[in-house]
Amino acid sequence: DVKVTQSSRYLVKRTGEKVFLECVQDMDHENMFWYRQDPGLGLRLIYFSYDVKMKEKGDIPEGYSVSREKKERFSLILESASTNQTSMYLCASSPLSEQYFGPGTRLTVT
Amino acid sequence: AQSVTQLDSQVPVFEEAPVELRCNYSSSVSVYLFWYVQYPNQGLQLLLKYLSGSTLVKGINGFEAEFNKSQTSFHLRKPSVHISDTAEYFCAVGESGYSTLTFGKGTMLLVSP
């Protein structure tokens, strides 16, 4: 079974802090994704990566950056957290078509 | 550009009744289609997928979906729901040869006794 893990299930940070969300997959997938999920808005793609050190902007990249130094690990960085980044963050990996999701990190920025 | 419309934000239904969750998509190219389920405070789990071949696709937990190219639809059905099917369901479309997916806004299925 594919396993995608995320470093924290719940996280509380203060405005202005730098926040790192980590995602690890164990299936040697080329592609990895970061989404945020908000009520009524569904899933919105922040960034994705199709190879080590490669990244592409998704639909809502503003205020975020990413890092992929190893194939299995994809990090999402909030350079200076703001209250409007309070959300559920979901990581996924994919060989090509279907995506496999981690359990999510619920981030609250106060 | 692709888009996905899930026509109902909530679908209330009684236990053991049939249910259909509707999904329409727009795309100008060959597509892959998916249904995912999300239980409270969890990630998304793949229910079923259409990549090619038979237009009737069976998935886990007794769900099935039918790909209708002429109507650009991929509706999800179950003949008899259980309380444990209460969850949010997401339809997604991908383009053949690419890994990104476009998701609908979700449909909350509420099953009551």
mmCIF file of all heavy atoms in Angstrom, chain B residues 37-76:
data_model
loop_
_atom_site.group_PDB
_atom_site.id
_atom_site.type_symbol
_atom_site.label_atom_id
_atom_site.label_comp_id
_atom_site.label_asym_id
_atom_site.label_seq_id
_atom_site.Cartn_x
_atom_site.Cartn_y
_atom_site.Cartn_z
ATOM 1 N N VAL B 37 -13.129 9.902 -1.402
ATOM 2 C CA VAL B 37 -13.953 10.088 -0.210
ATOM 3 C C VAL B 37 -13.060 10.616 0.909
ATOM 4 O O VAL B 37 -11.888 10.235 1.020
ATOM 5 C CB VAL B 37 -14.654 8.769 0.223
ATOM 6 C CG1 VAL B 37 -13.649 7.665 0.537
ATOM 7 C CG2 VAL B 37 -15.579 8.990 1.409
ATOM 8 N N GLN B 38 -13.631 11.519 1.703
ATOM 9 C CA GLN B 38 -12.912 12.062 2.844
ATOM 10 C C GLN B 38 -13.768 11.938 4.095
ATOM 11 O O GLN B 38 -14.828 12.557 4.185
ATOM 12 C CB GLN B 38 -12.536 13.529 2.608
ATOM 13 C CG GLN B 38 -11.670 14.100 3.719
ATOM 14 C CD GLN B 38 -11.313 15.553 3.465
ATOM 15 O OE1 GLN B 38 -12.084 16.319 2.919
ATOM 16 N NE2 GLN B 38 -10.111 15.946 3.855
ATOM 17 N N TYR B 39 -13.306 11.147 5.049
ATOM 18 C CA TYR B 39 -13.965 11.060 6.350
ATOM 19 C C TYR B 39 -13.443 12.186 7.234
ATOM 20 O O TYR B 39 -12.354 12.721 6.978
ATOM 21 C CB TYR B 39 -13.722 9.683 6.958
ATOM 22 C CG TYR B 39 -14.260 8.558 6.101
ATOM 23 C CD1 TYR B 39 -13.418 7.785 5.316
ATOM 24 C CD2 TYR B 39 -15.634 8.303 6.046
ATOM 25 C CE1 TYR B 39 -13.912 6.785 4.501
ATOM 26 C CE2 TYR B 39 -16.128 7.298 5.238
ATOM 27 C CZ TYR B 39 -15.262 6.552 4.464
ATOM 28 O OH TYR B 39 -15.764 5.566 3.649
ATOM 29 N N PRO B 40 -14.184 12.560 8.268
ATOM 30 C CA PRO B 40 -13.794 13.720 9.094
ATOM 31 C C PRO B 40 -12.359 13.646 9.585
ATOM 32 O O PRO B 40 -11.910 12.598 10.059
ATOM 33 C CB PRO B 40 -14.795 13.652 10.247
ATOM 34 C CG PRO B 40 -15.988 12.983 9.661
ATOM 35 C CD PRO B 40 -15.458 11.982 8.686
ATOM 36 N N ASN B 41 -11.656 14.742 9.405
ATOM 37 C CA ASN B 41 -10.271 14.893 9.877
ATOM 38 C C ASN B 41 -9.312 13.862 9.290
ATOM 39 O O ASN B 41 -8.348 13.455 9.967
ATOM 40 C CB ASN B 41 -10.217 14.846 11.408
ATOM 41 C CG ASN B 41 -10.905 16.049 12.008
ATOM 42 O OD1 ASN B 41 -10.699 17.174 11.569
ATOM 43 N ND2 ASN B 41 -11.747 15.815 12.993
ATOM 44 N N GLN B 42 -9.594 13.456 8.072
ATOM 45 C CA GLN B 42 -8.692 12.538 7.392
ATOM 46 C C GLN B 42 -8.358 13.068 6.009
ATOM 47 O O GLN B 42 -8.962 14.025 5.530
ATOM 48 C CB GLN B 42 -9.320 11.152 7.264
ATOM 49 C CG GLN B 42 -9.519 10.444 8.592
ATOM 50 C CD GLN B 42 -9.979 9.021 8.414
ATOM 51 O OE1 GLN B 42 -9.733 8.390 7.383
ATOM 52 N NE2 GLN B 42 -10.673 8.501 9.407
ATOM 53 N N GLY B 43 -7.382 12.430 5.369
ATOM 54 C CA GLY B 43 -7.064 12.762 3.987
ATOM 55 C C GLY B 43 -8.063 12.136 3.032
ATOM 56 O O GLY B 43 -9.051 11.536 3.449
ATOM 57 N N LEU B 44 -7.830 12.300 1.742
ATOM 58 C CA LEU B 44 -8.725 11.751 0.735
ATOM 59 C C LEU B 44 -8.310 10.332 0.383
ATOM 60 O O LEU B 44 -7.116 10.036 0.263
ATOM 61 C CB LEU B 44 -8.682 12.611 -0.541
ATOM 62 C CG LEU B 44 -9.595 13.835 -0.581
ATOM 63 C CD1 LEU B 44 -9.163 14.885 0.416
ATOM 64 C CD2 LEU B 44 -9.650 14.396 -1.993
ATOM 65 N N GLN B 45 -9.321 9.477 0.203
ATOM 66 C CA GLN B 45 -9.079 8.083 -0.158
ATOM 67 C C GLN B 45 -9.711 7.821 -1.522
ATOM 68 O O GLN B 45 -10.866 8.206 -1.755
ATOM 69 C CB GLN B 45 -9.711 7.185 0.907
ATOM 70 C CG GLN B 45 -9.563 5.700 0.660
ATOM 71 C CD GLN B 45 -10.291 4.872 1.701
ATOM 72 O OE1 GLN B 45 -10.892 5.395 2.638
ATOM 73 N NE2 GLN B 45 -10.233 3.563 1.562
ATOM 74 N N LEU B 46 -8.986 7.161 -2.397
ATOM 75 C CA LEU B 46 -9.503 6.882 -3.729
ATOM 76 C C LEU B 46 -10.628 5.853 -3.656
ATOM 77 O O LEU B 46 -10.450 4.764 -3.118
ATOM 78 C CB LEU B 46 -8.375 6.358 -4.621
ATOM 79 C CG LEU B 46 -8.733 6.076 -6.069
ATOM 80 C CD1 LEU B 46 -9.095 7.369 -6.803
ATOM 81 C CD2 LEU B 46 -7.562 5.386 -6.778
ATOM 82 N N LEU B 47 -11.799 6.224 -4.201
ATOM 83 C CA LEU B 47 -12.946 5.312 -4.261
ATOM 84 C C LEU B 47 -12.928 4.503 -5.551
ATOM 85 O O LEU B 47 -13.156 3.301 -5.549
ATOM 86 C CB LEU B 47 -14.253 6.112 -4.257
ATOM 87 C CG LEU B 47 -15.047 6.298 -2.991
ATOM 88 C CD1 LEU B 47 -16.341 7.031 -3.318
ATOM 89 C CD2 LEU B 47 -15.359 4.963 -2.332
ATOM 90 N N LEU B 48 -12.735 5.208 -6.669
ATOM 91 C CA LEU B 48 -12.702 4.534 -7.961
ATOM 92 C C LEU B 48 -12.107 5.474 -9.001
ATOM 93 O O LEU B 48 -11.987 6.674 -8.741
ATOM 94 C CB LEU B 48 -14.096 4.070 -8.390
ATOM 95 C CG LEU B 48 -15.258 5.042 -8.301
ATOM 96 C CD1 LEU B 48 -15.269 6.024 -9.456
ATOM 97 C CD2 LEU B 48 -16.588 4.292 -8.264
ATOM 98 N N LYS B 49 -11.765 4.896 -10.146
ATOM 99 C CA LYS B 49 -11.159 5.695 -11.205
ATOM 100 C C LYS B 49 -11.576 5.166 -12.571
ATOM 101 O O LYS B 49 -11.811 3.966 -12.745
ATOM 102 C CB LYS B 49 -9.630 5.656 -11.090
ATOM 103 C CG LYS B 49 -9.044 4.254 -11.218
ATOM 104 C CD LYS B 49 -7.545 4.256 -10.952
ATOM 105 C CE LYS B 49 -6.979 2.839 -11.015
ATOM 106 N NZ LYS B 49 -5.557 2.774 -10.638
ATOM 107 N N TYR B 50 -11.665 6.096 -13.523
ATOM 108 C CA TYR B 50 -11.847 5.741 -14.917
ATOM 109 C C TYR B 50 -10.613 6.241 -15.669
ATOM 110 O O TYR B 50 -10.329 7.440 -15.679
ATOM 111 C CB TYR B 50 -13.108 6.378 -15.509
ATOM 112 C CG TYR B 50 -13.166 6.204 -17.001
ATOM 113 C CD1 TYR B 50 -13.580 4.994 -17.562
ATOM 114 C CD2 TYR B 50 -12.754 7.213 -17.862
ATOM 115 C CE1 TYR B 50 -13.590 4.812 -18.932
ATOM 116 C CE2 TYR B 50 -12.766 7.041 -19.230
ATOM 117 C CZ TYR B 50 -13.176 5.849 -19.754
ATOM 118 O OH TYR B 50 -13.179 5.661 -21.116
ATOM 119 N N LEU B 51 -9.911 5.297 -16.301
ATOM 120 C CA LEU B 51 -8.758 5.680 -17.115
ATOM 121 C C LEU B 51 -9.054 5.424 -18.590
ATOM 122 O O LEU B 51 -8.712 6.230 -19.462
ATOM 123 C CB LEU B 51 -7.512 4.900 -16.672
ATOM 124 C CG LEU B 51 -7.097 5.072 -15.201
ATOM 125 C CD1 LEU B 51 -5.837 4.280 -14.894
ATOM 126 C CD2 LEU B 51 -6.892 6.539 -14.856
ATOM 127 N N SER B 52 -9.669 4.277 -18.870
ATOM 128 C CA SER B 52 -10.061 3.923 -20.238
ATOM 129 C C SER B 52 -10.896 2.653 -20.145
ATOM 130 O O SER B 52 -11.074 2.088 -19.068
ATOM 131 C CB SER B 52 -8.836 3.690 -21.125
ATOM 132 O OG SER B 52 -8.102 2.574 -20.659
ATOM 133 N N GLY B 53 -11.445 2.213 -21.286
ATOM 134 C CA GLY B 53 -12.148 0.939 -21.314
ATOM 135 C C GLY B 53 -13.599 1.059 -20.922
ATOM 136 O O GLY B 53 -14.273 2.033 -21.278
ATOM 137 N N SER B 54 -14.092 0.099 -20.147
ATOM 138 C CA SER B 54 -15.499 0.053 -19.775
ATOM 139 C C SER B 54 -15.931 1.339 -19.083
ATOM 140 O O SER B 54 -15.243 1.841 -18.190
ATOM 141 C CB SER B 54 -15.759 -1.131 -18.841
ATOM 142 O OG SER B 54 -17.071 -1.075 -18.333
ATOM 143 N N THR B 55 -17.079 1.840 -19.488
ATOM 144 C CA THR B 55 -17.541 3.116 -18.922
ATOM 145 C C THR B 55 -18.162 2.955 -17.545
ATOM 146 O O THR B 55 -18.366 3.936 -16.846
ATOM 147 C CB THR B 55 -18.570 3.772 -19.863
ATOM 148 O OG1 THR B 55 -19.644 2.847 -20.078
ATOM 149 C CG2 THR B 55 -17.932 4.135 -21.193
ATOM 150 N N LEU B 56 -18.480 1.728 -17.150
ATOM 151 C CA LEU B 56 -18.999 1.481 -15.802
ATOM 152 C C LEU B 56 -17.839 1.002 -14.936
ATOM 153 O O LEU B 56 -17.229 -0.027 -15.200
ATOM 154 C CB LEU B 56 -20.109 0.434 -15.838
ATOM 155 C CG LEU B 56 -20.789 0.146 -14.504
ATOM 156 C CD1 LEU B 56 -21.480 1.403 -13.968
ATOM 157 C CD2 LEU B 56 -21.781 -0.995 -14.639
ATOM 158 N N VAL B 57 -17.588 1.757 -13.906
ATOM 159 C CA VAL B 57 -16.427 1.487 -13.063
ATOM 160 C C VAL B 57 -16.901 1.137 -11.657
ATOM 161 O O VAL B 57 -17.727 1.856 -11.091
ATOM 162 C CB VAL B 57 -15.521 2.734 -12.991
ATOM 163 C CG1 VAL B 57 -14.321 2.462 -12.115
ATOM 164 C CG2 VAL B 57 -15.081 3.160 -14.375
ATOM 165 N N LYS B 58 -16.381 0.061 -11.131
ATOM 166 C CA LYS B 58 -16.741 -0.323 -9.749
ATOM 167 C C LYS B 58 -15.579 0.030 -8.818
ATOM 168 O O LYS B 58 -14.405 -0.105 -9.173
ATOM 169 C CB LYS B 58 -17.045 -1.810 -9.698
ATOM 170 C CG LYS B 58 -18.297 -2.169 -10.475
ATOM 171 C CD LYS B 58 -18.758 -3.569 -10.202
ATOM 172 C CE LYS B 58 -19.955 -3.933 -11.072
ATOM 173 N NZ LYS B 58 -21.139 -3.093 -10.793
ATOM 174 N N GLY B 59 -15.962 0.491 -7.620
ATOM 175 C CA GLY B 59 -14.943 0.868 -6.663
ATOM 176 C C GLY B 59 -15.109 0.152 -5.337
ATOM 177 O O GLY B 59 -15.794 -0.852 -5.245
ATOM 178 N N ILE B 60 -14.495 0.743 -4.317
ATOM 179 C CA ILE B 60 -14.571 0.132 -2.988
ATOM 180 C C ILE B 60 -15.887 0.482 -2.311
ATOM 181 O O ILE B 60 -16.582 1.414 -2.733
ATOM 182 C CB ILE B 60 -13.378 0.574 -2.114
ATOM 183 C CG1 ILE B 60 -13.393 2.091 -1.904
ATOM 184 C CG2 ILE B 60 -12.061 0.112 -2.727
ATOM 185 C CD1 ILE B 60 -12.375 2.570 -0.886
ATOM 186 N N ASN B 61 -16.219 -0.262 -1.271
ATOM 187 C CA ASN B 61 -17.395 0.017 -0.441
ATOM 188 C C ASN B 61 -18.713 -0.014 -1.213
ATOM 189 O O ASN B 61 -19.674 0.622 -0.795
ATOM 190 C CB ASN B 61 -17.267 1.378 0.276
ATOM 191 C CG ASN B 61 -16.037 1.451 1.168
ATOM 192 O OD1 ASN B 61 -15.460 0.420 1.528
ATOM 193 N ND2 ASN B 61 -15.627 2.647 1.502
ATOM 194 N N GLY B 62 -18.774 -0.753 -2.337
ATOM 195 C CA GLY B 62 -20.025 -0.910 -3.070
ATOM 196 C C GLY B 62 -20.395 0.239 -3.995
ATOM 197 O O GLY B 62 -21.492 0.261 -4.549
ATOM 198 N N PHE B 63 -19.520 1.207 -4.162
ATOM 199 C CA PHE B 63 -19.787 2.337 -5.052
ATOM 200 C C PHE B 63 -19.439 1.983 -6.503
ATOM 201 O O PHE B 63 -18.559 1.176 -6.763
ATOM 202 C CB PHE B 63 -18.980 3.561 -4.617
ATOM 203 C CG PHE B 63 -19.532 4.253 -3.412
ATOM 204 C CD1 PHE B 63 -19.089 3.936 -2.140
ATOM 205 C CD2 PHE B 63 -20.505 5.237 -3.553
ATOM 206 C CE1 PHE B 63 -19.596 4.573 -1.021
ATOM 207 C CE2 PHE B 63 -21.017 5.887 -2.440
ATOM 208 C CZ PHE B 63 -20.571 5.553 -1.171
ATOM 209 N N GLU B 64 -20.141 2.646 -7.421
ATOM 210 C CA GLU B 64 -19.815 2.544 -8.832
ATOM 211 C C GLU B 64 -20.080 3.885 -9.497
ATOM 212 O O GLU B 64 -20.814 4.730 -8.962
ATOM 213 C CB GLU B 64 -20.623 1.443 -9.521
ATOM 214 C CG GLU B 64 -22.107 1.656 -9.535
ATOM 215 C CD GLU B 64 -22.831 0.518 -10.232
ATOM 216 O OE1 GLU B 64 -22.383 -0.645 -10.145
ATOM 217 O OE2 GLU B 64 -23.864 0.808 -10.877
ATOM 218 N N ALA B 65 -19.473 4.073 -10.668
ATOM 219 C CA ALA B 65 -19.688 5.318 -11.409
ATOM 220 C C ALA B 65 -19.709 5.003 -12.892
ATOM 221 O O ALA B 65 -19.108 4.036 -13.340
ATOM 222 C CB ALA B 65 -18.581 6.324 -11.095
ATOM 223 N N GLU B 66 -20.423 5.844 -13.631
ATOM 224 C CA GLU B 66 -20.511 5.653 -15.071
ATOM 225 C C GLU B 66 -19.986 6.874 -15.809
ATOM 226 O O GLU B 66 -20.435 7.999 -15.571
ATOM 227 C CB GLU B 66 -21.949 5.378 -15.492
ATOM 228 C CG GLU B 66 -22.064 5.039 -16.970
ATOM 229 C CD GLU B 66 -23.258 4.182 -17.266
ATOM 230 O OE1 GLU B 66 -24.202 4.153 -16.461
ATOM 231 O OE2 GLU B 66 -23.248 3.545 -18.340
ATOM 232 N N PHE B 67 -19.037 6.634 -16.693
ATOM 233 C CA PHE B 67 -18.482 7.690 -17.522
ATOM 234 C C PHE B 67 -19.383 7.872 -18.734
ATOM 235 O O PHE B 67 -19.639 6.922 -19.483
ATOM 236 C CB PHE B 67 -17.071 7.298 -17.967
ATOM 237 C CG PHE B 67 -16.473 8.196 -19.018
ATOM 238 C CD1 PHE B 67 -16.434 9.569 -18.836
ATOM 239 C CD2 PHE B 67 -15.936 7.657 -20.178
ATOM 240 C CE1 PHE B 67 -15.867 10.392 -19.794
ATOM 241 C CE2 PHE B 67 -15.364 8.472 -21.137
ATOM 242 C CZ PHE B 67 -15.338 9.836 -20.955
ATOM 243 N N ASN B 68 -19.890 9.096 -18.918
ATOM 244 C CA ASN B 68 -20.730 9.401 -20.067
ATOM 245 C C ASN B 68 -20.066 10.532 -20.840
ATOM 246 O O ASN B 68 -20.146 11.703 -20.446
ATOM 247 C CB ASN B 68 -22.137 9.797 -19.600
ATOM 248 C CG ASN B 68 -23.099 9.956 -20.757
ATOM 249 O OD1 ASN B 68 -22.738 10.483 -21.802
ATOM 250 N ND2 ASN B 68 -24.330 9.510 -20.574
ATOM 251 N N LYS B 69 -19.419 10.165 -21.934
ATOM 252 C CA LYS B 69 -18.628 11.152 -22.671
ATOM 253 C C LYS B 69 -19.511 12.213 -23.318
ATOM 254 O O LYS B 69 -19.166 13.399 -23.313
ATOM 255 C CB LYS B 69 -17.788 10.447 -23.738
ATOM 256 C CG LYS B 69 -16.773 11.343 -24.418
ATOM 257 C CD LYS B 69 -15.880 10.561 -25.335
ATOM 258 C CE LYS B 69 -14.844 11.461 -25.966
ATOM 259 N NZ LYS B 69 -13.928 10.723 -26.863
ATOM 260 N N SER B 70 -20.656 11.811 -23.835
ATOM 261 C CA SER B 70 -21.516 12.770 -24.539
ATOM 262 C C SER B 70 -22.109 13.794 -23.578
ATOM 263 O O SER B 70 -22.328 14.948 -23.955
ATOM 264 C CB SER B 70 -22.634 12.041 -25.280
ATOM 265 O OG SER B 70 -23.452 11.340 -24.366
ATOM 266 N N GLN B 71 -22.349 13.380 -22.346
ATOM 267 C CA GLN B 71 -22.903 14.301 -21.349
ATOM 268 C C GLN B 71 -21.824 14.866 -20.442
ATOM 269 O O GLN B 71 -22.136 15.634 -19.526
ATOM 270 C CB GLN B 71 -23.967 13.588 -20.516
ATOM 271 C CG GLN B 71 -25.071 12.987 -21.365
ATOM 272 C CD GLN B 71 -26.411 12.998 -20.670
ATOM 273 O OE1 GLN B 71 -26.516 13.363 -19.516
ATOM 274 N NE2 GLN B 71 -27.428 12.568 -21.381
ATOM 275 N N THR B 72 -20.593 14.491 -20.695
ATOM 276 C CA THR B 72 -19.429 14.900 -19.862
ATOM 277 C C THR B 72 -19.768 14.764 -18.382
ATOM 278 O O THR B 72 -19.625 15.712 -17.585
ATOM 279 C CB THR B 72 -18.947 16.330 -20.187
ATOM 280 O OG1 THR B 72 -20.010 17.267 -19.965
ATOM 281 C CG2 THR B 72 -18.463 16.423 -21.612
ATOM 282 N N SER B 73 -20.221 13.566 -18.029
ATOM 283 C CA SER B 73 -20.587 13.326 -16.629
ATOM 284 C C SER B 73 -19.894 12.072 -16.107
ATOM 285 O O SER B 73 -19.494 11.194 -16.874
ATOM 286 C CB SER B 73 -22.104 13.186 -16.479
ATOM 287 O OG SER B 73 -22.557 12.001 -17.113
ATOM 288 N N PHE B 74 -19.814 12.013 -14.788
ATOM 289 C CA PHE B 74 -19.212 10.857 -14.110
ATOM 290 C C PHE B 74 -19.904 10.752 -12.747
ATOM 291 O O PHE B 74 -19.337 11.042 -11.703
ATOM 292 C CB PHE B 74 -17.707 11.055 -13.970
ATOM 293 C CG PHE B 74 -16.935 9.830 -13.525
ATOM 294 C CD1 PHE B 74 -17.020 8.637 -14.225
ATOM 295 C CD2 PHE B 74 -16.088 9.898 -12.424
ATOM 296 C CE1 PHE B 74 -16.294 7.527 -13.831
ATOM 297 C CE2 PHE B 74 -15.352 8.788 -12.021
ATOM 298 C CZ PHE B 74 -15.461 7.599 -12.723
ATOM 299 N N HIS B 75 -21.148 10.344 -12.753
ATOM 300 C CA HIS B 75 -21.951 10.296 -11.531
ATOM 301 C C HIS B 75 -21.630 9.062 -10.703
ATOM 302 O O HIS B 75 -21.437 7.972 -11.234
ATOM 303 C CB HIS B 75 -23.444 10.310 -11.869
ATOM 304 C CG HIS B 75 -23.886 11.522 -12.652
ATOM 305 N ND1 HIS B 75 -23.247 12.740 -12.555
ATOM 306 C CD2 HIS B 75 -24.910 11.687 -13.530
ATOM 307 C CE1 HIS B 75 -23.841 13.611 -13.340
ATOM 308 N NE2 HIS B 75 -24.850 13.002 -13.954
ATOM 309 N N LEU B 76 -21.634 9.242 -9.409
ATOM 310 C CA LEU B 76 -21.320 8.169 -8.451
ATOM 311 C C LEU B 76 -22.618 7.622 -7.877
ATOM 312 O O LEU B 76 -23.502 8.392 -7.505
ATOM 313 C CB LEU B 76 -20.447 8.736 -7.324
ATOM 314 C CG LEU B 76 -19.996 7.774 -6.225
ATOM 315 C CD1 LEU B 76 -18.955 6.801 -6.774
ATOM 316 C CD2 LEU B 76 -19.402 8.562 -5.049
#
